[in-house]
Amino acid sequence: MNFARRCVLSCAAVVFGAACGARENPNEIRFWALGREGEVVREMVRDFEKEHPGITVRVQQIPWSAAHEKLLTAHVGDVTPDVAQIGNTWVPEFVALHALEPLTAHIAASAVVKASGYFPGIWDTNVLSDTVWGIPWYVDTRLLFYRKDLLQQAGWKSPPTTWAAWRTAMESVRRTAVRGADGEQWGAFLPTNEWNVPIILGLQSGSPLLRDGDGRGAFKDPEFRKAFEFFVGLYRDGLAPKFGSNDVANLYQEFAKGRFAFYVSGPWQIGEFKRRLPPELQDAWSTAPMPGPKAGVPGVSLAGGASLVVFKKSKQKTAAWQLVEFLSRPEQQVRFYELTGDLPARTEAWRSSRLANDTLSQAFYTQLLHVLPTPKVPEWELIAQRVIDHAETVVRGNTSIEDALRALDKDVDNILEKRRWLQSRVAKQ
């Protein structure tokens, strides 16, 4: 064993401690869950253990901020858990590392887990080369949070559904709501240091984001350019402030003051807006699907969330899959939602009265029927950061759209150089 590998194994032992040690019970399943989900799932696995006498589930809670690095270290050090929760965008990376157990055969034999029970765009995030590698546990996407009262004051009875209407609504809000606003007024707050909105608009415009077998950037192509021009125009014309997320001291206070009418975010914000906005504004805001370039159908958004995976080196694959099936049951999905507020991945779970009667959540249901995954390449996080970097240069007037998109494609091509090399090697075999 070389020195570098000994160091990795030593670090893994220190980082994971007892979680990576020898099993006290040969029928024990080690389950790594992230953030708050790791707290509440302990309550759920007790019922699983009752159904499966002799099987013990040891839950290890991992902070989201450290999870990616710890999972990679565990893989290198051969100390991966049996089951883990991972972000959907991480799936391609762990597949490329040959860390995950393919689940297609398990699904074919399952009476619980079927693709038809999930939102198609979310399910697709776990499929690579016609093989399923993870099962969606909860779902996430982005849509509009908006001030109903400001729109009504501006003459809008319902939220905009197209790009043109969205822009017009922002202009109307600026004209009519500025009298009641505390300070300068904008139509929307779209943080310049976040990549979600330009990517969502690009997907809506029909951009694949990457081309040539996901080996090169497609950002200077007409589809993404059209979306990017719309995005940049919102800042150029003063409809969105040239602020990053850290430039606003308190998002909720600014929203309450009427400084902006639209904000694009995810389902966790429902609880935050309920807690942080004053009582007199609780009926003044709502949620709506993303506007799209064409009328008649919601614009697509991002397919996100977290999935359950089984690791290839697990010695408890049968029991691990049984745990995945248990947590995937519609009734367990409803219970998980009640404990965490995370939106269920199973469409059947949305029939529960609490979700069916919640208009704020129902907008997410509609949006989840119109979602697409980001490109399924391990390098996506690096690419997303380059999107932020180049978008900011244009928003702040430091370069042109044409030059920024050309430079973005060049950066992305460099990031994907190894991928192209591997593709060429496979093609020659």
Side-chain angles (χ1 to χ4, degrees):
M1 184 184 295
N2 62 33
F3 175 76
R5 184 168 175 79
R6 285 199 304 272
C7 287
V8 169
L9 290 175
S10 296
C11 289
V14 171
V15 169
F16 300 114
C20 300
R23 298 173 193 266
E24 297 177 2
N25 180 349
N27 294 320
E28 179 183 82
I29 304 170
R30 292 178 299 179
F31 177 23
W32 288 6
L34 313 183
R36 173 160 169 72
E37 288 79 6
E39 296 177 15
V40 302
V41 78
R42 288 188 176 94
E43 181 178 333
M44 300 175 68
V45 299
R46 293 193 194 104
D47 290 339
F48 172 81
E49 291 172 335
K50 291 177 183 177
E51 287 188 15
H52 299 82
I55 297 179
T56 301
V57 181
R58 178 157 38 135
V59 178
Q60 178 75 16
Q61 183 187 12
I62 308 292
W64 268 104
S65 58
H68 185 264
E69 181 180 353
K70 288 189 175 185
L71 284 164
L72 289 176
T73 305
H75 169 66
V76 174
D78 292 337
V79 288
T80 50
D82 301 292
V83 180
Q85 167 195 355
I86 68 172
N88 289 354
T89 58
W90 300 357
V91 172
E93 181 177 8
F94 284 93
V95 170
L97 292 171
H98 305 288
L100 304 183
E101 172 77 3
L103 300 179
T104 305
H106 294 280
I107 295 165
S110 177
V112 176
V113 178
K114 298 294 180 185
S116 59
Y118 294 82
F119 296 99
I122 301 293
W123 181 267
D124 189 44
T125 62
N126 289 276
V127 181
L128 285 88
S129 302
D130 297 323
T131 300
V132 183
W133 300 94
I135 305 301
W137 193 20
Y138 66 83
V139 293
D140 178 22
T141 190
R142 302 292 189 273
L143 48 59
L144 289 183
F145 287 74
Y146 70 98
R147 286 280 299 267
K148 292 190 296 184
D149 56 338
L150 296 184
L151 258 66
Q152 290 169 359
Q153 183 178 329
W156 290 75
K157 295 181 180 180
S158 59
T161 59
T162 65
W163 288 3
W166 190 21
R167 182 185 170 90
T168 301
M170 292 187 211
E171 293 169 344
S172 300
V173 165
R174 284 203 77 191
R175 283 196 306 269
T176 59
V178 70
R179 294 187 302 275
D182 181 4
E184 191 171 357
Q185 172 79 25
W186 295 281
F189 176 45
L190 309 173
T192 58
N193 60 336
E194 295 180 3
W195 57 266
N196 293 314
V197 173
I199 292 300
I200 289 170
L201 296 174
L203 291 171
Q204 290 183 355
S205 190
S207 171
L209 306 180
L210 303 180
R211 60 182 176 85
D212 296 348
D214 289 341
R216 294 186 180 277
F219 294 100
K220 66 177 182 292
D221 292 355
E223 295 85 359
F224 189 83
R225 183 188 178 104
K226 175 185 176 182
F228 197 62
E229 288 174 344
F230 173 81
F231 174 71
V232 171
L234 300 179
Y235 299 92
R236 181 195 61 220
D237 299 333
L239 298 175
K242 298 176 183 179
F243 293 164
S245 56
N246 296 327
D247 296 325
V248 174
N250 190 310
L251 162 71
Y252 309 100
Q253 287 183 2
E254 299 304 301
F255 190 69
K257 291 176 181 177
R259 297 286 297 279
F260 52 90
F262 295 102
Y263 180 59
V264 178
S265 194
W268 66 90
Q269 291 286 11
I270 292 178
E272 293 298 316
F273 275 68
K274 287 181 177 180
R275 282 191 293 272
R276 294 172 180 263
L277 293 183
E280 63 270 20
L281 287 181
Q282 286 302 324
D283 292 329
W285 66 278
S286 191
T287 57
M290 288 295 296
K294 297 180 181 179
V297 62
V300 299
S301 191
L302 300 174
S307 294
L308 298 172
V309 297
V310 176
F311 278 87
K312 184 179 288 291
K313 293 182 180 178
S314 169
K315 300 185 185 307
Q316 300 287 342
K317 290 176 183 174
T318 298
W321 174 249
Q322 289 174 335
L323 176 61
V324 172
E325 282 189 310
F326 174 82
L327 295 174
S328 300
R329 294 177 187 171
E331 66 272 18
Q332 295 301 330
Q333 288 265 291
V334 173
R335 186 181 178 196
F336 190 57
Y337 164 72
E338 291 172 346
L339 290 170
T340 64
D342 294 333
L343 298 179
R346 293 292 295 263
T347 54
E348 302 100 314
W350 286 78
R351 298 170 191 158
S352 72
S353 58
R354 184 174 172 184
L355 274 165
N357 297 326
D358 183 354
T359 57
L360 297 172
S361 296
Q362 282 301 309
F364 278 94
Y365 181 84
T366 301
Q367 188 65 74
L368 286 161
L369 295 172
H370 302 87
V371 294
L372 291 173
T374 53
K376 301 173 189 177
V377 297
E379 302 89 350
W380 175 250
E381 297 294 333
L382 291 174
I383 293 170
Q385 183 57 51
R386 295 299 188 276
V387 171
I388 294 172
D389 295 341
H390 290 286
E392 277 206 284
T393 63
V394 180
V395 166
R396 300 190 184 281
N398 297 326
T399 190
S400 67
I401 289 177
E402 182 177 353
D403 288 346
L405 295 183
R406 184 184 301 113
L408 175 56
D409 269 349
K410 183 178 180 180
D411 283 353
V412 172
D413 291 352
N414 289 336
I415 291 171
L416 297 172
E417 182 177 6
K418 184 176 180 181
R419 180 178 179 83
R420 295 195 301 277
W421 179 79
L422 289 172
Q423 288 173 331
S424 67
R425 297 265 298 187
V426 170
K428 291 177 182 178
Q429 293 177 356

